[in-house]
């Protein structure tokens, strides 16, 4: 059974940084993509970043480009989302999702991922 565990959320002030981690278990190998999504109250779930371990490809939504970085933490066997220069509008519940057959052109779509973590809350105060 594939399971995803997201961690690292909390309360930070605007301009500060925070790092989220997503640990995946249950895959038979390391060939899968991890997408990061967020959902603010009253809004839909938004795809913001993706790391594809199959070829190292990364993708960022315009809203986080230049401020967020996604990558693989081989020591922890997880995928991280480094969030810098945080803004109050980044406040949301953040989710990681995984799929071993992801078509990279659809990495921003919720429906592209088979497995989801429970999410972690990030709150940015002004």
């Amino acid at each position: 059974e594939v399971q995803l565990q997201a961690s690292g959320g909390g309360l930070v002030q605007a301009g500060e940084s925070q790092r989220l981690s997503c640990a995946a278990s249950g895959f038979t190998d390391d060939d899968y993509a991890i997408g990061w999504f967020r959902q603010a109250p009253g809004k839909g779930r938004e795809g913001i970043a993706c790391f594809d371990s199959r070829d190292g490809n990364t993708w960022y939504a315009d809203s986080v480009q230049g401020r967020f970085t996604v990558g693989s933490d081989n020591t922890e066997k997880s995928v991280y989302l480094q969030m810098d220069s945080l803004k109050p509008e980044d406040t949301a519940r953040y989710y990681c999702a995984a799929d071993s057959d992801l078509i990279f052109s659809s990495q921003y779509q919720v429906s592209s991922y088979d497995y989801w973590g429970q999410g972690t809350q990030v709150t940015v105060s002004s």
Side-chain angles (χ1 to χ4, degrees), residues 32-70:
Y32 51 85
I34 294 288
W36 284 98
F37 291 76
R38 66 185 181 186
Q39 188 165 17
K43 295 188 177 181
R45 194 165 293 191
E46 172 194 17
I48 58 171
C50 180
F51 176 80
D52 193 337
S53 65
R54 297 168 296 182
D55 55 14
N57 270 350
T58 58
W59 167 82
Y60 302 95
D62 289 344
S63 57
V64 305
Q65 178 77 47
R67 299 188 299 123
F68 290 13
T69 305
V70 64

